Amino acid sequence: MKFVLASHNPRKLEELQTILQQLGVEIVLQSQLGIDLEPEETGTTFEENALIKARAVMEASGLPAIADDSGLCSEALNGGPGVYSARYGGPDLNDQQRYQLLLQSMRGQLSRKASFVSVVACAFPNGDVISARGECEGRIGFTPVGEDGFGYDPIFLVPECKKTFAQMTPEEKNAVSHRGKALRAFAGELETYLNGRQAR
Ligand code: IMP
């Protein structure tokens, strides 16, 4: 079965292909099909936004489409920036300005508890939908630490690893990260779905 990934990012494709390869499915990027869609993420949950993206690309391609949505939720900010993580502070900020803004908002807050959340969803042309969620619990640091990664990685500390995401190798991060967990859970959901279809 052929799937399209609702993304333009070849690294996301690689990550997904590695995890789904044992299911024998073919996955292409939306850009490889000439689909130039960036649907507005109008949902208030990660699940809604992942499905908005997956459905839009499924409708444009006629193929089952996989999309993800993720973000950082802090207890002190009532779950924020949450689904707004990519847009926190407005579109003109870069990753570093964005995490500095979050550090400022956290000043004086009693709780530094936070979790990264990722939801991976697939919309099928027959209307079926599957999705999986992964979470990684941690703390928001007081200053950025580490050189690797992207986004909020330097300020997200995973206590059991005693490292921020930005201090981890890709393998270390993948083992504990919200996205790694969501993708592995998604692979299980997809396998169950495909086996169920074969049995019908
Ligand atoms: P999305 O592309 O709408 O899912 O936006 C997710 C946003 O959340 C990204 O732009 C990052 O700011 C943030 N984010 C998600 N996952 C991570 C991660 O693993 N490390 C750091 N930041 C992340």
Side-chain angles (χ1 to χ4, degrees), residues 57-73:
V57 171
M58 178 272 288
E59 277 160 16
S61 64
L63 292 172
I66 300 170
D68 74 327
D69 196 51
S70 57
L72 177 59
C73 305

Side-chain angles (χ1 to χ4, degrees), residues 41 53 69-71 85-86 116 150-153 173 178-179:
E41 297 180 22
K53 293 185 253 186
D69 196 51
S70 57
S85 295
F116 260 117
F150 72 101
Y152 300 90
D153 277 351
K173 182 177 169 187
H178 51 309
R179 194 169 302 98

